[in-house]
PDB file of all heavy atoms in Angstrom:
ATOM      1  N   VAL A 218      69.353 -40.489 293.801  1.00 88.00           N
ATOM      2  CA  VAL A 218      69.070 -40.357 295.099  1.00 88.00           C
ATOM      3  C   VAL A 218      67.816 -39.655 295.161  1.00 88.00           C
ATOM      4  O   VAL A 218      67.594 -38.470 294.684  1.00 88.00           O
ATOM      5  CB  VAL A 218      70.147 -39.409 295.815  1.00 88.00           C
ATOM      6  CG1 VAL A 218      69.808 -39.134 297.291  1.00 88.00           C
ATOM      7  CG2 VAL A 218      71.529 -40.078 295.612  1.00 88.00           C
ATOM      8  N   ALA A 280      85.805 -41.572 284.598  1.00 94.00           N
ATOM      9  CA  ALA A 280      85.397 -42.710 285.605  1.00 94.00           C
ATOM     10  C   ALA A 280      83.792 -42.868 285.426  1.00 94.00           C
ATOM     11  O   ALA A 280      83.281 -43.948 285.378  1.00 94.00           O
ATOM     12  CB  ALA A 280      85.617 -42.370 287.052  1.00 94.00           C
ATOM     13  N   VAL A 368      73.423 -54.142 300.449  1.00 98.00           N
ATOM     14  CA  VAL A 368      71.993 -53.662 300.430  1.00 98.00           C
ATOM     15  C   VAL A 368      71.181 -54.897 300.771  1.00 98.00           C
ATOM     16  O   VAL A 368      71.402 -56.019 300.382  1.00 98.00           O
ATOM     17  CB  VAL A 368      71.748 -53.229 298.866  1.00 98.00           C
ATOM     18  CG1 VAL A 368      70.202 -52.705 298.869  1.00 98.00           C
ATOM     19  CG2 VAL A 368      72.668 -52.100 298.427  1.00 98.00           C
TER      20      VAL A 368
END
Side-chain angles (χ1 to χ4, degrees):
V218 178
V368 181

